[in-house]
Structure formats: structure tokens, C-alpha cells
Amino acid sequence: MEPLPKLSSLTVLLLSLIPLSSGAFAGGVRVELTHVHATAGDSEAKLIQRAVASSRHRLSTFVDRAPLHAGETEYIVDIAIGTPALAFSALVDTGSDLMWTQCPVFDPSKSSTFGSIACNSTLCTALDQHSCNASCHYSYMYTDHSYTEGVLATETFTIGSTSVPSLAFGCGNSNNGVAFTQAAGFVGLGRGKLSLISQMGLTEFSYCLTPLGSRKKSSLLIGSLPNPNATAHPVMSTPISFYYITLNGITVGGTVVDIPSSTFAINRDGSGGMIIDSGTALTYLEYSAYDKVADAFMAQIKNMNTTDQSVFDLDLCYELPPKSTPDTLNLPKLIFHFQGADLELPPGNYFGVDSDTSSICLMMAESSGLSVFGNFMQQNMQVMYDLGNDVLSLYSAECG
Ligand SMILES: *[C@@H]1O[C@H](CO)[C@@H](O)[C@H](O)[C@H]1NC(C)=O
Ligand SMILES: *[C@@H]1O[C@H](CO)[C@@H](O)[C@H](O)[C@H]1NC(C)=O
Ligand SMILES: *[C@@H]1O[C@H](CO)[C@@H](O)[C@H](O)[C@H]1NC(C)=O
Ligand SMILES: *[C@@H]1O[C@H](CO)[C@@H](O)[C@H](O)[C@H]1NC(C)=O
């Protein structure tokens, strides 16, 4: 059992809420997210170091097709459970479905709204590992050997200032995992039956993630999408299927990288493809493509020396000239050609700064079987999921 983290330093601010009778989240609920380590006073370099490590950890879970482990670079939201409401912090994870909390901390017998779930309910059978006697017992494993086990039940959750009754959640009486020191539970935003989004029948959510180390809070809008000023923020859209996005090619500087169109396709056995994920920091490319992208950067960055001194465990790093940042250096531009959307990224979204060794590193790594559009590249972007229309839209924004 991991101890419940101190909640006092974390705040939920309700920025906009229009309660309507047609549904708890009609109009949308906006909550702020805290970067897990933003309050710890760590340097950005430390945070990126951890981001790299936890991305690697997390990617292995994708490959195993299990619910995702949430690393140390996750975003957390403060919500409450039960009646009377008990506040707890939860990792916000688009990569898994189950909402759960630590039941030794939340005591169901002290709540008047706790309800049980029948074993033959579709919510119970939606769990890969469940067993039945009087109630629905679940075991939810994460492939880094983290797990939560307990009883699937229902409770009232308070999100922002909205109370939502009868949400299925895992009342975890046996929980173990490094990630669980960060928060007392999870809010899964995946597309399976048990996710918050699915249970509420919502089809829209969006987030805007502040950079690693930023003191500003990120925001999560559940149940509606922001309405951007299209003049100020040109919006780009690309189709999604689950959270897969179609990447057709990559441009580095003036070079269209020579990547066969099949590289990022989903294979018949379900491997391959690229997903967008809020919980993985690095962007992972299928290794054949990664090599060519890294080569293209190396060929075009001639005015800086490479270095292997960086504490980041990444392949391509350069000495950072004094008083410069990725955005002030004349780095090759990077464009991801998604279907219908050519996304040109600011250099600060693909080069991370290691201030300890005055170096910058390309925040990408190679993978095999699945590519991931990670959260470092999604910084300072409004990312909008329209699941009703299977469209992902993005625009650059100053988050926080
Ligand atoms: C579940 O089991 C109960 C009791 O056996 C039964 O009344 C109910 O119809 C079942 N529900 C479903 C969804 O199968
Ligand atoms: C149901 O299962 C739980 C956990 O496996 C066990 O503790 C409990 O005694 C069981 N109850 C019955 C009625 O078998
Ligand atoms: C939208 O943005 C443009 C450009 O920044 C600005 O001129 C215009 O006033 C904005 N419109 C609204 C309705 O805010
Ligand atoms: C690269 O390294 C060489 C040899 O150490 C040095 O002379 C040169 O000034 C460095 N170039 C830059 C741009 O830092």
C-alpha cells in the first residue's frame, strides 16, 4: 500500500461550469491539472530525465497491450468520492479505462451512496480479469507489475463542482505500484466501457498541457470542447479511431524524410499504427522511421556539436550555446503530416533542454510495433477529442 499523498497543495479550480438538467456535464466541466512533479521544485532537466525514463517504462506496456502504467510525468486531477465527499487526487490517463481509488483510505461503509455491481453486469464483464461471488471482484494489472485489486462498485463522484451519481469504479483494497505514490487513484479517459467518458456517454473532452516544469496549471475540459477564435488560432483536424491517428509522413527542415507509407499503418494483427497519448512524454517512432528522422536532423544541424554528456538517456543531443533556447536556435523545423493536418511543431516541443549539462536533446525514441505521439510534443496546444465524429483537432495555444 502506498501512502496517500498530501492533498493540501493541490487545488481544483472550476473555471467554467454551466449545470444543465439534461446531464451532469452538459456544457462541460473544466478542471485544472497539476503536473505530478511541478510542486516538487525540480529543475526542468530533472523532470525531462524522469519523463524519458517513464516513457520507456510506459511504452513497454503499450507493446504488451495492457492498461497503461502512468509514469511520473503524468497530470493529476483532484476529485472527490462518496457522500460525504472525500477528496483524492487521480492520475488522468487516456491510456486506460478504469477509475479507481484506494479503499482502505476511502471507507465505503461511511458513504451513503456506495452501491454494488452485479457480477453479470456488462460493466463487470468488461474487465479482463474479474471473478464473481456475491460481488464483482476485479484485478487490474499494469505490466510494470503495478496493480489494483478489489471490488467493482458504484459511487457518486464530484468532479469540479458537479456531482455524478452511480459511476462504476474500482474500490481497490490491494494496490501496489510505484506510480501510485503520485496519486490515490486513476481517472481513465480511454474508450472502453468503464472509462469516465464512456460511462457518462460523453463524446467530447480536451486538454491543454503546460510545459514540464511550468508552474501554470494545465486544464482538462470534460463533456464539451472549447470554441476557439479561428482567426487567432487556426484549427487543424485529423481523423481518429480509438486514439489512433494517421501519420503519412514527416518533414525535417527542408527534407521530406523518405518513409514508406506503410510504416505507420496498423497491421492485420493489430500491431503498428500511431496513437496520441497524454501520458507518454516522448514521441516514439517505428525504428526505421526514427533512424531516418534522426539522420535528417544530424545532417542539417551543422553549427552545433553533438554531445553524449546529457543526463537524458536519448540518442541525439547537442551542446547548447550560452543564452539560447531551442526556439532561439535556428533548428530544422519539424512537420508531422497527419491525415488532413500538417502540424508544424515549435522547436521547444521536440528539443528538451538539459540545463545541468547545457545541452539539448531530440525528445524522440525508437519503438517497434507501435508509434506514440507523446505529451512533450503536445505542450501548449489545445488538444480536442471529438469521439462522436472521430475527429481530433489541435491548435497552438498558451496553456495555463
Ligand atoms: C443478472 O442476474 C440476475 C439474478 O440472477 C438476473 O435477475 C438478471 O436478469 C441478470 N442480468 C443480466 C444483465 O444478465
Ligand atoms: C468472495 O470473494 C472474496 C474475495 O475473493 C472473499 O473474500 C469472500 O469471502 C467471498 N465471498 C463469498 C460469499 O464467497
Ligand atoms: C479573433 O482573433 C483576431 C486576431 O487575433 C482578433 O482580431 C479578433 O478580434 C478576435 N475575435 C474575437 C471574437 O475575439
Ligand atoms: C565544437 O567543438 C570544437 C572542438 O572542441 C570547438 O572548437 C568548436 O568551437 C565547437 N563548436 C561549437 C559551435 O561549439
Side-chain angles (χ1 to χ4, degrees), residues 204-207 224-228 235-238 240 381-387 391-395:
E204 296 176 334
F205 70 95
S206 76
Y207 53 74
S224 75
L225 296 177
N227 188 10
V235 176
M236 278 181 287
S237 296
T238 187
I240 37 172
M381 251 184 243
Q382 187 71 51
V383 183
M384 302 182 281
Y385 294 73
D386 178 349
L387 308 180
V391 172
L392 178 85
S393 299
L394 305 158
Y395 63 88

Side-chain angles (χ1 to χ4, degrees), residues 131 133-134 137:
S131 65
N133 49 25
H137 292 265

Side-chain angles (χ1 to χ4, degrees), residues 33-347:
L33 305 178
T34 308
H35 219 293
V36 164
H37 282 282
T39 51
D42 284 316
S43 71
E44 188 184 343
K46 268 243 164 57
L47 293 169
I48 292 178
Q49 211 177 328
R50 280 201 286 258
V52 171
S54 71
S55 293
R56 292 235 157 85
H57 214 54
R58 190 177 169 97
L59 188 74
S60 67
T61 70
F62 279 115
V63 174
D64 292 352
R65 302 191 170 279
L68 299 177
H69 157 73
E72 289 190 291
T73 53
E74 287 283 354
Y75 295 84
I76 57 178
V77 64
D78 287 353
I79 58 178
I81 182 173
T83 308
L86 177 76
F88 72 103
S89 59
L91 292 168
V92 172
D93 191 11
T94 59
S96 64
D97 296 325
L98 185 68
M99 300 210 292
W100 65 268
T101 191
Q102 299 174 351
C103 265
V105 178
F106 167 67
D107 180 353
S109 71
K110 298 208 170 103
S111 170
S112 63
T113 42
F114 184 82
S116 61
I117 284 186
C119 281
N120 60 358
S121 89
T122 54
L123 288 170
C124 184
T125 55
L127 288 156
D128 279 348
Q129 294 186 55
H130 64 274
S131 65
C132 279
N133 49 25
S135 39
C136 174
H137 292 265
Y138 75 90
S139 176
Y140 207 75
M141 303 285 291
Y142 299 79
T143 50
D144 65 338
H145 305 303
S146 301
Y147 64 88
T148 169
E149 281 175 3
V151 175
L152 193 71
T154 61
E155 253 304 358
T156 297
F157 282 77
T158 307
I159 302 168
S161 65
T162 301
S163 275
V164 187
S166 301
L167 288 176
F169 78 107
C171 193
N173 44 42
S174 177
N175 317 295
N176 201 350
V178 177
F180 308 165
T181 58
Q182 309 295 321
F186 269 57
V187 171
L189 294 179
R191 296 197 75 172
K193 274 204 178 81
L194 284 163
S195 82
L196 175 67
I197 300 290
S198 301
Q199 286 196 60
M200 296 199 62
L202 301 173
T203 54
E204 296 176 334
F205 70 95
S206 76
Y207 53 74
C208 202
L209 304 178
T210 55
L212 276 176
S214 168
R215 288 179 180 279
K216 293 182 186 164
K217 296 202 177 214
S218 304
S219 63
L220 170 70
L221 180 59
I222 305 169
S224 75
L225 296 177
N227 188 10
N229 176 344
T231 313
H233 303 288
V235 176
M236 278 181 287
S237 296
T238 187
I240 37 172
S241 169
F242 284 85
Y243 293 142
Y244 283 91
I245 45 184
T246 304
L247 180 61
N248 293 324
I250 296 173
T251 294
V252 175
T255 309
V256 178
V257 181
D258 176 25
I259 300 171
S261 58
S262 58
T263 305
F264 300 114
I266 301 176
N267 304 313
R268 298 183 81 149
D269 66 358
S271 64
M274 172 178 259
I275 58 162
I276 179 167
D277 183 52
S278 64
T280 299
L282 294 181
T283 287
Y284 284 89
L285 299 180
E286 184 68 24
Y287 61 89
S288 58
Y290 170 80
D291 286 348
K292 288 179 179 167
V293 168
D295 286 351
F297 274 107
M298 259 195 299
Q300 293 180 51
I301 300 178
K302 298 209 169 79
N303 56 344
M304 295 193 319
N305 290 325
T306 56
T307 175
D308 56 8
Q309 298 300 305
S310 169
V311 294
F312 303 164
D313 185 19
L314 289 165
D315 294 341
L316 187 57
C317 300
Y318 291 91
E319 292 169 2
L320 181 65
K323 294 188 181 135
S324 46
T325 69
D327 290 316
T328 63
L329 294 166
N330 193 20
L331 292 164
K333 67 183 175 188
L334 176 64
I335 304 173
F336 273 37
H337 302 282
F338 293 114
Q339 191 173 327
D342 292 334
L343 184 65
E344 181 170 348
L345 295 150

